[in-house]
Amino acid sequence: MTAVVLDGIVLGLQFGLLGVGLTLVYGLGGVLNLAHGQLAVLGAIAVWLAIGTGLPVLPAVVVGLAAIGLLGFLLDTTLMRPVYARRGDERVLLGLLLTLGVAFIIDGLLNWRYPIASLNISIGGDPISILGVRMRTGSLLASTIAIAAAGLLLLFFRGTTLGRGVRSVIQDEEGARLVGINPASVRNLIFALSAVLAGLVAVTRSMTSPVSASAGIDFTILALIVAVVGGLGSILGAFVAGILLGIVNTVSSFYIGQYITTIVLLAAAALTILLRPSGLLGRRK
Amino acid sequence: MLEVEELSVGYLGDDVVHGVTLTVAPGEAVAVIGSNGAGKTTLFRGICGLLTASHGRVTFDGEDVSGQPAHKISRRGLAFVPAERHLFPGMTVKENLALGAYPGRPDPATMDFVLSLFPQLADRLSQHAGTMSGGEQQMVAVGRALVSRPRLLLLDEPTTGLAPKLAKAAYEALATLRSEGLTLLLAEQQVPLALDLTDRGYVLENGRVQLESSSEELRRNPEVRRAYLGIT
């Protein structure tokens, strides 16, 4: 049981990293990015391509993530501009439609150019024992990266002026403008960061199981569930929800079966929304 | 310090403020008075860049700032405290105040000055701004504006939602800021308080300046007395 829960926490931290980007982009600009998972997979395929050119794994990961971050930045400065120029429902709807379009385009391109590509970073070495549980090196490295990334993110948002500036735009955009913060450049930065985090999650997942070019939709759905359960716009909420859902995921796939896990996850999300419509840590309006 | 020339501004192409001209000299305190819906808030939002004017010009410190976005005007030293305050509810009082100095760090002497002006805030630095009373939130809003070390402070209805005693206390704080040499422009429905504090005033009606005079003369003006001071 300990092993299953520990596995769940490891997986959950990665869920959290996947969800936090989605939640931040939504909190800042009202765009629910339906291409989030496709960006994750595109990041993984970029790493795969970089490795294919003969680069060692670590530089390949850096190059792949930088590329996906740049793409995120470009998407926000070009395609998302008309979205941010609108208000209210119109903005949300246009954001959904445009990002859904981006998702289809990325899926289509990957299916056309790299239909059988999949990233599978194998980390050698013997299993290591933690809390009496034997963990594979790949899974241990994936969790170390996830923990470090989560820690750095929380430090950034709580401890730096720029991080607080980002939170201030989520909490009150007009107040942020009045203290001299440009919401548009904050959105650019966070859209790029969100894409990098999505790519990073695809990379850490590939250390335990292959990430294929067609996995985008699964990542998107997962990110949506995590962000909604945590409360859209809540950074800490995404991590709490990620860890909870990670545990639900591994426990249900261990005791019930993998095929039913997605249903259990969706049921957990539906239950949370019924009990707390604004999510675990979302602010009530 | 501030020259507003023939400014017309409004929402979605419909002007609410029509050709308003006003000036504020360095060290001066100026009031814009008028009833609810006269256009005071729209005028202030137009000056500080939250709304884009359809006509006219705003010059701050000799530079034309018309059409510039709010965050740029704020960084030039024009701080605006809106009536709805627009604090960051999920952040502590300290974080709210510190963000006034964005992108830099707050100057310790300025922080000390803000806390001496509003001693209640000193014990509440780690409280979330969203959980505070209206009066305390107003203090945080003014404090956050002061931390940016503005050269001109614009206040829209600083007494909104405050009990009479708290409204008086708010104006005592503003009087202190005046005596420190800060230039003030404020919009107010509580006309007696505003005219006691300021040197000059503008009466705004239906988005137009109806009257412009020294605050003392405005207090004696029979029309102002009847319309805004409740004296017949």
Side-chain angles (χ1 to χ4, degrees):
Chain A
M1 185 67 192
T2 324
V4 177
V5 172
L6 208 62
D7 258 359
I9 295 173
V10 169
L11 187 67
L13 275 167
Q14 299 176 60
F15 285 3
L17 285 175
L18 190 65
V20 79
L22 192 79
T23 226
L24 281 167
V25 167
Y26 181 81
L28 284 170
V31 170
L32 203 49
N33 180 9
L34 293 180
H36 195 64
Q38 276 76 8
L39 289 174
V41 169
L42 198 58
I45 298 305
V47 173
W48 176 79
L49 284 171
I51 292 174
T53 66
L55 271 184
V57 172
L58 190 61
V61 168
V62 172
V63 168
L65 294 187
I68 202 67
L70 184 66
L71 178 67
F73 180 84
L74 291 176
L75 278 178
D76 195 64
T77 45
T78 57
L79 201 60
M80 292 297 124
R81 282 190 83 134
V83 179
Y84 298 133
R86 285 171 171 76
R87 300 265 164 262
D89 289 349
E90 227 181 303
R91 180 192 280 198
V92 174
L93 269 176
L94 190 62
L96 285 172
L97 286 173
L98 282 179
T99 55
L100 187 63
V102 172
F104 280 135
I105 290 170
I106 294 176
D107 270 341
L109 282 176
L110 287 177
N111 190 35
W112 171 46
R113 299 292 301 177
Y114 312 106
I116 50 156
S118 78
L119 182 67
N120 190 6
I121 299 176
S122 59
I123 310 288
D126 294 324
I128 295 166
S129 191
I130 297 207
L131 297 172
V133 178
R134 287 167 67 77
M135 287 183 80
R136 283 184 298 158
T137 339
S139 142
L140 200 64
L141 184 61
S143 29
T144 312
I145 294 172
I147 291 169
L152 281 176
L153 272 185
L154 290 178
L155 208 66
F156 170 66
F157 286 114
R158 303 270 150 191
T160 69
T161 303
L162 182 59
R164 289 193 202 102
V166 175
R167 284 164 62 213
S168 77
V169 178
I170 296 177
Q171 295 186 13
D172 194 314
E173 184 169 333
E174 190 164 314
R177 293 170 71 188
L178 290 177
V179 299
I181 297 169
N182 180 0
S185 48
V186 166
R187 279 194 282 266
N188 282 169
L189 172 79
I190 293 303
F191 207 105
L193 177 71
S194 147
V196 170
L197 288 173
L200 181 69
V201 171
V203 167
T204 56
R205 294 292 292 140
S206 78
M207 293 175 180
T208 50
S209 54
V211 171
S212 74
S214 59
I217 182 74
D218 300 330
F219 278 107
T220 299
I221 290 174
L222 202 57
L224 280 171
I225 295 175
V226 170
V228 168
V229 168
L232 280 166
S234 168
I235 298 160
L236 203 60
F239 282 107
V240 173
I243 290 171
L244 280 177
L245 293 170
I247 294 171
V248 169
N249 186 313
T250 49
V251 168
S252 78
S253 70
F254 186 78
Y255 289 101
I256 309 172
Q258 184 66 51
Y259 59 93
I260 208 138
T261 302
T262 310
I263 297 171
V264 174
L265 278 184
L266 279 169
L271 195 68
T272 317
I273 299 310
L274 277 176
L275 298 175
R276 281 186 65 94
S278 53
L280 292 174
L281 297 183
R283 260 181 302 128
R284 280 145 200 255
K285 302 259 161 161
Chain B
M1 171 163 282
L2 179 75
E3 284 105 42
V4 178
E5 295 160 76
E6 297 288 328
L7 194 74
S8 295
V9 58
Y11 302 87
L12 299 169
D14 282 329
D15 283 349
V16 175
V17 168
H18 310 279
V20 166
T21 296
L22 66 80
T23 59
V24 182
E28 226 185 355
V30 175
V32 175
I33 60 177
S35 55
N36 207 356
K40 304 188 295 296
T41 299
T42 310
L43 171 65
F44 277 28
R45 289 172 66 88
I47 293 173
C48 76
L50 285 171
L51 289 174
T52 309
S54 57
H55 292 288
R57 192 150 59 146
V58 179
T59 314
F60 177 57
D61 252 0
E63 270 189 89
D64 187 354
V65 296
S66 329
Q68 285 195 12
H71 66 270
K72 285 209 177 135
I73 295 179
S74 151
R75 289 197 192 184
R76 284 181 182 275
L78 191 159
F80 175 48
V81 181
E84 320 80 43
R85 285 136 201 167
H86 288 287
L87 296 178
F88 310 121
M91 285 194 236
T92 64
V93 170
K94 196 177 172 185
E95 287 177 308
N96 268 277
L97 293 176
L99 274 168
Y102 191 91
R105 290 182 174 280
D107 165 51
T110 312
M111 279 293 251
D112 288 347
F113 171 71
V114 168
L115 295 179
S116 70
L117 190 65
F118 303 118
Q120 292 99 308
L121 296 185
D123 317 327
R124 308 268 187 119
L125 285 175
S126 52
Q127 190 178 338
H128 278 203
T131 64
M132 302 186 101
S133 72
E136 291 160 347
Q137 290 198 8
Q138 183 61 36
M139 293 176 198
V140 179
V142 173
R144 184 178 70 181
L146 291 174
V147 170
S148 73
R149 306 184 65 184
R151 278 167 296 154
L152 171 64
L153 185 62
L154 256 74
L155 300 124
D156 186 18
E157 310 254 351
T159 56
T160 302
L162 301 190
K165 208 174 137 189
L166 286 173
K168 242 189 121 209
Y171 267 85
E172 277 162 20
L174 294 181
T176 310
L177 292 177
R178 243 210 96 171
S179 64
E180 295 277 330
L182 186 62
T183 311
L184 295 174
L185 175 64
L186 55 100
E188 191 54 273
Q189 286 188 69
Q190 308 247 26
V191 175
L193 282 172
L195 291 182
D196 278 347
L197 177 78
T198 50
D199 305 300
R200 289 188 304 117
Y202 295 82
V203 178
L204 203 64
E205 272 171 27
N206 297 319
R208 291 187 169 84
V209 172
Q210 294 296 333
L211 203 60
E212 170 194 347
S213 184
S214 75
S215 298
E216 213 178 314
E217 264 177 49
L218 287 175
R219 273 200 302 264
R220 286 199 301 257
N221 182 298
E223 274 177 58
V224 172
R225 287 167 75 94
R226 196 175 52 241
Y228 302 108
L229 299 178
I231 300 162
T232 47

